[in-house]
Amino acid sequence: MQHFIRVILCIGLLLMLPLQSIAFASAPYKTETLSSDGGLIETQTAFTPLGEFLSGEEVVNPEDIYSDADGYIYVADSGTKKVIIADENGNIRARIGEGVLEKPTGVFVDDNGDIFVADYAKEKVFRFNSSGELKGEFGKPDSPLFGKKSPYKPQKVGVDRRGNLYVISEGSTNGIIQLSQDGSFLGYYGVNNTEISFKSVIQNLLTTETQKSKMFMKTPPAPDNIALDKQGLIYSVTEGTENEVIKKLNVAGKNMLDPFISWDSTYQDITVDKDGNIFTLNSTGEIHEFDSFGNLLFVFGGTDDGSNRLGLFKQPTGITIDQNGKLYITDKERGMITVLEATAFAGQVHKGIALFKEGLYVESQQYWESVLELNSSFGLAHTAMGKSYYKQQDYEKALEEYKFAEDVYGYSDAFWEVRQAWMQENLSSVLLIMIGLIVLYYFIKYLDKKRKILDVPRNKWNDWKTRKLLSELLFLFKFFKHPIDSFYYLKRKQYATVLSATILYIILFIEYLIAKFQTGFIFSYQRLGEKSLLVEILIVFVPLLLFILINYMVSTINDGEGRFKDIYIGTIYSLAPYLVFIIPITILSNVLTYNESFIYIFSIRIIYVWCLIILFIMIQEIHNYTFSETVRNIFVTLFGMAIMILVVFIVFVLFDQVYDFVYSIMKEVMMRV
């Protein structure tokens, strides 16, 4: 009997596996998410195509789509000049707007069931009741505040709880048009900002006020679509811009999301689900899902390659999500509506986010654990796990999760707790050790004064200091107090040699590696990824050698007295502050929190500025220049370095082309032979 049961189970598993493979393969696109290091990685499918909505019905050119709280779907179709109303099963309930609408491009339903339709051709917004009867229309506002020349070509529309209308009009660079229930103009809302380019900054610096007034004033881009969530917050997308492509607007019209939330500048539509998750649709058919805080969750969908597969689109125009979490996407060119359904994996993510958003970090932990079992690189899951452990006061595990998530702020908070606990436990011991060391120091100093107990090690150290190589290396410390005199001794008295300078260059590289890879996580720019020793060598030594070579060539032409040897030695001794202080600062970075970052940042800046000052003095003293000659020499050196890099790049490109040409000829000859 047991053997029979095992056979049945095996057959069942064999039957289930193909079905699972088919379900996974039914999505003709890959799904991506953000990894811990901020890059896109492929993950489990989040939404799969479920089928075609309103198949076989008269949907010609769907422009926009909306789902209300009762589960009804509204489709604005410019081809049939109607708004089609259907239930979630695809059963047609009504067609409204016949004889009224000319080119409906936007549709919205308020809490009372009234249907608002933006008609691009008639330049109006029409209001229908749930039965399809026309209740009113909103034409161009006659208020002088609106402006006689301001465009009014309604494309999309939204309505808040107070009954105020938000109209997206073509070319409305002043923002979203806000109208009252009776059509009165209330003002513009959520205006976009103009992008500041390098060219515009230079123009502002070089032009007078009169010239600026005559120049063409740059206008901000007009928003392209709108959505509202259940709290009444307004969301908008703007095409053709680089910042604030997605906006979540508060009552004052201020954006609540990161201005650089997305790299995409081709968004067509936006919708928000009941939990506040944001879905955007771009012109290539890609769907980007963000949580309510603006964290990217999933990227899926794509462009139809002619295979007409569900989930790929030719001219996507609208997106909405119903109460059950199903996505509806309109494709104007194909005249169809595709339905996508969330997978179990996406369900776990959404459940975790819903609890996470409410501050229930511990309760959300089970869902994030399930997500990480399927995809251990899911960045947001690590952040949520970190908050969960932090809430449970398990700060060590929180540190680990925050580090995986590259969450500097969370890591800093957890580290503060760990440091605080360590200090409470060990502070008394540390103070006793410090007091003991101070007492020991003064005791030894007293004995040395009375009995000269340190004469032997002191004499040995003085003997070592007189050795040539060690004295040359220790000469580095003279540059802190007397840099001008030190460069004189360096050049005239030969206080340093090429050997000692080369050793210091090697020490510089070693310290650079220590600083790069051992700086505290909060202040480190080195994240997960491959590490190449050759790349690090090039990063350090190529700029240094290029500077030394170009400066020598430039100084030779401009009557500089410094030899190549002098510049080679002087450059490394100019970096004395870095060589001496970078290791202590690196150690310090491992015990500071983000709130104390000014200590680390200020120290690093002091080191760099100090090095630049000594380097300036080096060029002036080595070449015997005046102040103005030194400044000119530095600028010419930097320009020469840029030219050299450009020449090397051009030579490399030409060599690569010659190599490809020779390789293709040889390959052709070999094939013919």
Side-chain angles (χ1 to χ4, degrees):
M1 184 67 179
Q2 291 180 349
H3 178 72
F4 176 75
I5 293 173
R6 289 175 183 173
V7 171
I8 295 297
L9 289 174
C10 290
I11 293 173
L13 286 172
L14 290 173
L15 290 173
M16 289 174 64
L17 286 173
L19 290 174
Q20 290 177 344
S21 300
I22 291 171
F24 184 80
S26 63
Y29 46 76
K30 64 180 180 180
T31 301
E32 295 178 312
T33 188
L34 281 182
S35 65
S36 300
D37 61 358
L40 284 175
I41 58 168
E42 190 168 355
T43 187
Q44 286 77 6
T45 302
F47 283 81
T48 57
L50 189 61
E52 186 179 343
F53 189 68
L54 298 180
S55 57
E57 299 296 336
E58 295 179 358
V59 179
V60 181
N61 297 125
E63 300 275 0
D64 195 20
I65 190 167
Y66 183 82
S67 173
D68 68 8
D70 297 323
Y72 289 104
I73 308 299
Y74 301 77
V75 182
D77 187 0
S78 61
T80 60
K81 302 180 181 181
K82 300 173 186 176
V83 171
I84 302 169
I85 306 173
D87 61 23
E88 59 183 5
N89 297 317
N91 300 313
I92 300 294
R93 296 300 183 182
R95 295 183 178 88
I96 66 172
E98 185 174 1
V100 177
L101 302 175
E102 180 66 27
K103 188 180 180 180
T105 54
V107 60
F108 187 90
V109 182
D110 67 8
D111 294 339
N112 299 319
D114 286 349
I115 306 162
F116 294 79
V117 184
D119 194 309
Y120 179 81
K122 288 195 173 181
E123 300 183 358
K124 291 181 180 180
V125 174
F126 294 98
R127 181 179 185 177
F128 301 89
N129 63 17
S130 56
S131 301
E133 298 174 355
L134 183 63
K135 291 182 64 176
E137 56 186 53
F138 302 85
K140 183 176 180 178
D142 55 5
S143 170
L145 297 175
F146 182 78
K148 293 183 179 180
K149 295 182 179 180
S150 298
Y152 188 74
K153 300 280 288 185
Q155 293 177 304
K156 309 294 176 182
V157 63
V159 184
D160 64 16
R161 293 177 176 178
R162 297 169 296 173
N164 296 326
L165 278 71
Y166 298 84
V167 181
I168 298 290
S169 174
E170 182 183 55
S172 179
T173 57
N174 292 321
I176 302 168
I177 300 169
Q178 189 176 9
L179 306 176
S180 67
Q181 297 184 45
D182 59 3
S184 301
F185 178 64
L186 300 178
Y188 291 101
Y189 181 82
V191 61
N192 289 316
N193 296 318
T194 55
E195 295 181 20
I196 301 176
S197 63
F198 179 75
K199 180 180 177 182
S200 62
V201 172
I202 296 298
Q203 286 179 339
N204 288 333
L205 290 174
L206 299 180
T207 55
T208 63
E209 293 298 326
T210 305
Q211 290 172 328
K212 288 177 184 178
S213 63
K214 294 179 180 179
M215 292 173 61
F216 176 77
M217 299 300 293
K218 188 175 181 180
T219 57
D224 290 282
N225 221 317
I226 191 173
L228 283 82
D229 64 13
K230 64 180 183 180
Q231 280 80 30
L233 294 174
I234 312 295
Y235 299 75
S236 70
V237 289
T238 304
E239 188 176 6
T241 185
E242 294 181 359
N243 64 330
E244 293 191 323
V245 292
I246 304 172
K247 297 170 74 173
K248 180 179 180 180
L249 303 168
N250 58 18
V251 177
K254 300 297 182 182
N255 184 20
M256 301 165 62
L257 299 176
D258 186 340
F260 301 101
I261 183 176
S262 175
W263 65 92
D264 199 307
S265 60
T266 63
Y267 288 132
Q268 304 295 305
D269 198 5
I270 184 171
T271 189
V272 185
D273 69 8
K274 58 184 180 181
D275 293 321
N277 298 316
I278 306 165
F279 295 82
T280 59
L281 176 69
N282 70 12
S283 59
T284 64
E286 272 191 355
I287 300 164
H288 298 180
E289 182 186 358
F290 303 83
D291 68 8
S292 58
F293 302 106
N295 300 306
L296 180 65
L297 299 180
F298 300 111
V299 177
F300 54 96
T303 304
D304 184 15
D305 55 3
S307 59
N308 292 324
R309 290 182 294 173
L310 284 173
L312 300 178
F313 311 96
K314 287 188 176 180
Q315 191 181 356
T317 53
I319 184 172
T320 192
I321 187 166
D322 66 13
Q323 297 301 305
N324 298 318
K326 293 179 182 177
L327 286 171
Y328 298 78
I329 298 95
T330 57
D331 191 328
K332 183 177 179 180
E333 183 173 334
R334 294 170 67 182
M336 64 180 293
I337 302 167
T338 303
V339 185
L340 303 180
E341 185 178 39
T343 62
F345 176 71
Q348 294 292 96
V349 174
H350 292 155
K351 289 176 183 176
I353 287 173
L355 293 170
F356 181 83
K357 188 178 73 169
E358 298 298 326
L360 304 174
Y361 306 128
V362 178
E363 290 80 355
S364 71
Q365 184 174 339
Q366 58 177 321
Y367 299 107
W368 296 121
E369 288 175 346
S370 299
V371 171
L372 290 174
E373 285 178 3
L374 296 171
N375 185 348
S376 60
S377 298
F378 203 101
L380 184 60
H382 284 295
T383 298
M385 289 291 290
K387 286 189 178 293
S388 174
Y389 286 127
Y390 185 87
K391 190 82 171 180
Q392 299 173 66
Q393 299 184 357
D394 191 345
Y395 303 118
E396 294 289 348
K397 287 186 178 180
L399 281 176
E400 185 178 348
E401 292 295 337
Y402 282 133
K403 197 168 186 179
F404 273 121
E406 304 286 342
D407 188 340
V408 170
Y409 303 105
Y411 184 93
S412 176
D413 292 338
F415 179 74
W416 189 90
E417 297 289 350
V418 172
R419 190 183 67 178
Q420 186 76 2
W422 186 91
M423 290 179 65
Q424 289 177 353
E425 185 177 345
N426 300 284
L427 186 59
S428 58
S429 300
V430 171
L431 289 175
L432 286 174
I433 292 172
M434 291 178 64
I435 293 171
L437 290 174
I438 293 171
V439 171
L440 181 63
Y441 169 78
Y442 282 105
F443 179 71
I444 293 174
K445 189 175 180 181
Y446 173 78
L447 289 178
D448 182 54
K449 186 177 180 180
K450 294 292 185 181
R451 302 185 180 182
K452 308 297 183 182
I453 63 173
L454 296 179
D455 280 355
V456 175
R458 187 184 295 112
N459 292 333
K460 287 185 177 181
W461 171 243
N462 290 331
D463 291 339
W464 272 95
K465 285 171 61 177
T466 58
R467 298 191 178 188
K468 183 173 177 54
L469 181 58
L470 185 58
S471 66
E472 290 174 358
L473 295 175
L474 293 176
F475 183 62
L476 184 79
F477 293 92
K478 298 290 184 181
F479 288 83
F480 293 110
K481 289 186 177 180
H482 309 290
I484 296 176
D485 295 340
S486 298
F487 282 117
Y488 171 80
Y489 291 124
L490 199 68
K491 180 182 177 183
R492 305 295 181 186
K493 304 294 184 179
Q494 304 294 316
Y495 271 36
T497 60
V498 172
L499 176 60
S500 61
T502 303
I503 292 173
L504 290 176
Y505 277 113
I506 295 172
I507 294 173
L508 172 71
F509 179 68
I510 294 171
E511 290 186 346
Y512 164 79
L513 292 179
I514 294 173
K516 182 168 186 177
F517 297 108
Q518 297 302 320
T519 296
F521 173 78
I522 296 172
F523 308 102
S524 176
Y525 294 101
Q526 179 63 32
R527 294 296 187 239
L528 301 175
E530 296 183 359
K531 304 173 181 64
S532 172
L533 182 62
L534 178 61
V535 171
E536 302 302 334
I537 291 173
L538 294 175
I539 289 173
V540 174
F541 290 114
V542 167
L544 285 172
L545 294 177
L546 198 59
F547 171 79
I548 294 168
L549 178 62
I550 299 299
N551 186 262
Y552 172 71
M553 296 170 63
V554 169
S555 303
T556 302
I557 297 171
N558 292 310
D559 300 324
E561 296 181 3
R563 299 167 297 174
F564 184 85
K565 172 186 173 182
D566 298 330
I567 302 172
Y568 177 79
I569 297 172
T571 299
I572 188 61
Y573 278 90
S574 300
L575 303 179
Y578 185 92
L579 290 166
V580 173
F581 294 112
I582 193 63
I583 297 301
I585 291 176
T586 300
I587 295 171
L588 182 65
S589 70
N590 286 274
V591 297
L592 296 176
T593 65
Y594 190 82
N595 292 331
E596 299 147 354
S597 61
F598 71 94
I599 299 174
Y600 174 79
I601 295 171
F602 181 73
S603 301
I604 289 292
R605 288 177 178 174
I606 287 293
I607 286 179
Y608 289 154
V609 171
W610 201 350
C611 288
L612 290 174
I613 292 173
I614 298 177
L615 188 66
F616 183 91
I617 295 172
M618 184 272 290
I619 295 173
Q620 186 175 17
E621 294 300 317
I622 290 292
H623 298 300
N624 196 20
Y625 281 154
T626 62
F627 182 85
S628 60
E629 288 174 335
T630 305
V631 173
R632 184 169 63 250
N633 177 274
I634 291 173
F635 277 108
V636 175
T637 298
L638 294 175
F639 179 75
M641 290 172 66
I643 293 297
M644 181 66 76
I645 293 171
L646 181 62
V647 169
V648 171
F649 176 75
I650 293 172
V651 170
F652 174 78
V653 171
L654 292 175
F655 177 80
D656 186 60
Q657 291 179 348
V658 170
Y659 173 80
D660 288 340
F661 177 72
V662 174
Y663 177 77
S664 61
I665 291 176
M666 292 179 64
K667 188 175 181 180
E668 182 70 21
V669 171
M670 293 296 293
M671 290 179 62
R672 291 182 181 275
V673 172

